[in-house]
Every structure is written in C-alpha cells, then in structure tokens.
Amino acid sequence: MTSLRRHPRRGWFITLEGPEGAGKTSQATRLRDSALEAGVDVVLTREPGGTVLGERIREILLPLHIPGVTAQPTRPIDARTDALLFNAARAQLVAEVVEPALSSGRLVIATRFADSTLAYQGHGEGLPLDELRALERFATSGRKPDLTILLDLPPEVGLGRKARREHNRFESSFDLEFHRRVRNGFLALAREEPARFAVIDATRSADEVFADVLAATGRLPDLELVPPVEKGRRGAVAHTPSEPEARKVRIQR
Ligand code: TMP
C-alpha cells in the first residue's frame, strides 16, 4: 500500500502478462476498443517499448532477425544485462507515459510490465527475485498495476501459435524447460498477490478469453467497460456515451 500513498491514484493501470503466444496484444487491443466505446480516455502501450527510447532498447533486446537479410546475433545477452535494459525501458515508460496518463485520470493498458522481468529473468534465467524486486522498485518508483491479467497457457501451445521465423530471441534461444519455468513463475506471482492478479485460461477462443478479461476489469472501482454483446445490441449506430455516462467512467479518484 505504500506505493498508493506515494502516488495518489486517479486513473487505472492494467497490465497483461503471460507466456509467449498467449494473445496479449490482441486482448489488449480489444480492451482498448471497449474503453473507447465506453468513453474512457485510454493509453495502450507495450514493454519493452512505448517510448522512443524504449523502442530503441527493444531493438537491442529483441533484434529482428530476418534469415538471409539480417545477420544472426552472435553473442548471447547476459541475464543481468537483460534485467537492467528491460528496467531501463520501464523507467522511461513509467516517467514519460504511465504517470502522466494516470495523473490525468486515464486508463493505461500495458502488454507486459515488471512481472515479466520476475518471470523471465527471475524464474526463467535464475536471477535472485529479491534483487530483481529492488531493481523494479528503483525503475518504477514503486508504481504497481491496479490489475494484472495473466493470460495463462502451456508454453508448447503458445510457442506453436507462431511460425518459427517469427520467434524472438527468447522464443528461439531458450528451451521448453525455460518457458515452463516462466509460466510457473507467473502462476507463482499470481498466487502471491491474488487481489492484483486475474488468471485467465488463454487456451480458449479469443472471444471466450475476452469475456473473462472484461469481467476482470469489473474489479476496478468506477471503471465500466462495454461488453461486446451490448455493442451488438446497440446496432449499427456507433455508441457515443452521453455526458453523465462519460463522466461516470472518467471519475477521478
Ligand atoms: P513480446 O513483446 O512479443 O511479448 O516480446 C517481448 C519478449 O521479451 C518476450 O519474449 C518476453 C521478454 N521479456 C523479458 O524477458 N523480460 C521483460 O521484462 C519483458 C518486459 C519482456
């Protein structure tokens, strides 16, 4: 709770986490669309990335390798370098995007955040969790998500959803055991903080998963997003929230 005292909360901060191929980006995009539909000011961002600096760090951490076009990266990146660079991108994202958006009462949706470092560099690469947590506190000044949606699925299912040539450094350089540790790491983090995490079975259809994602956002005070069924009922006419309705979802806390 100390972080809440340090940061008077006004907007909402939702993160989507999970192993590879869980559908985080498409679920986050749907969530953003539902927020827009409900008249909520929303920012959709990603990690690593989301700022000019962060996207440059992303190019270092996750170089695009196009066989026959770009050179295969030869030297492995040390786990501690990974942890520092992911947190450097995170510090910039928090300072430049997350905090200003929350201060002006907006909804911030991020695909991946600090839990990914604990799962990948901690549980996966074996770095001490307490040191990673200290690094996280430094990078984020203690900012925690209000809600973390963990899209859970077995790594063999997630990795199988992407063509091999689309695999990033983590997908191509680490074995299935690593990805199992990452998945179990995320589940352990969720067990430690059940009030923050909603664990959703991501092996199902995108529609079924999204129904649960939307339901999980109901935990956040004063945030009412539009379920897809209501969108349909409203028919062909685009829904523009009435003023009181729009105010309700933008209420400042
Ligand atoms: P993605 O944007 O497609 O999810 O790829 C990001 C990759 O970077 C993914 O393999 C997970 C990895 N990653 C970490 O290892 N640590 C981190 O802190 C973050 C944010 C991502």
Side-chain angles (χ1 to χ4, degrees):
M1 293 304 274
T2 46
S3 65
L4 299 186
R5 241 175 278 125
R6 255 183 290 146
H7 304 278
R9 268 172 59 187
R10 283 183 283 166
W12 304 266
F13 185 22
I14 300 178
T15 57
L16 283 95
E17 295 277 11
E20 313 291 341
K24 289 178 291 298
T25 306
S26 64
Q27 293 296 328
T29 306
R30 283 180 177 222
L31 197 54
R32 190 260 324 263
D33 292 346
S34 286
L36 288 172
E37 182 86 7
V40 178
D41 280 336
V42 58
V43 178
L44 174 60
T45 189
R46 70 169 180 181
E47 272 212 358
T51 64
V52 172
L53 178 65
E55 293 294 333
R56 288 178 71 181
I57 294 174
R58 184 183 182 94
E59 285 169 22
I60 297 170
L61 286 168
L62 304 165
L64 260 185
H65 172 58
I66 308 165
V69 179
T70 58
Q72 176 91 47
T74 45
R75 310 289 297 179
I77 298 179
D78 183 79
R80 284 172 191 271
T81 312
D82 269 337
L84 288 165
L85 287 179
F86 279 117
N87 272 292
R90 181 164 304 134
Q92 191 65 27
L93 184 74
V94 169
E96 197 178 313
V97 176
V98 177
E99 291 302 341
L102 294 178
S103 300
S104 43
R106 303 175 87 186
L107 167 64
V108 180
I109 302 169
T111 54
R112 298 197 184 277
F113 193 62
D115 297 305
S116 276
T117 305
L118 297 175
Y120 280 80
Q121 281 65 54
H123 290 273
E125 297 194 72
L127 292 183
L129 290 175
D130 56 340
E131 291 182 19
L132 290 177
R133 287 188 204 277
L135 193 57
E136 171 193 334
R137 274 195 299 278
F138 179 70
T140 63
S141 309
R143 171 58 68 190
K144 291 282 240 180
D146 300 303
L147 170 68
T148 297
I149 293 169
L150 174 54
L151 298 177
D152 174 57
L153 85 179
E156 47 274 52
V157 176
L159 290 167
R161 285 180 174 174
K162 272 197 209 169
R164 277 197 91 74
R165 63 188 151 69
E166 288 170 10
H167 281 186
N168 69 29
R169 177 166 65 88
F170 286 90
E171 291 161 316
S172 57
S173 315
F174 290 93
D175 61 10
L176 200 54
E177 268 317 305
F178 170 87
H179 289 286
R180 290 206 176 106
R181 289 198 299 280
V182 169
R183 181 205 187 181
N184 291 333
F186 275 126
L187 290 170
L189 295 172
R191 280 193 299 274
E192 279 169 33
E193 285 183 82
R196 173 163 71 89
F197 275 89
V199 182
I200 293 176
D201 173 5
T203 59
R204 298 166 303 153
S205 74
D207 285 349
E208 286 172 301
V209 172
F210 188 61
D212 285 358
V213 168
L214 213 49
T217 65
R219 292 185 188 183
L220 294 179
D222 310 320
L223 181 67
E224 284 179 35
L225 303 183
V226 182
V229 59
E230 275 187 40
K231 269 195 224 171
R233 266 200 229 116
R234 284 190 181 114
V237 182
H239 171 61
T240 314
S242 61
E243 231 348 87
E245 209 181 331
R247 262 207 305 276
K248 190 159 112 211
V249 291
R250 285 204 191 104
I251 200 160
Q252 309 263 306
R253 286 173 293 137

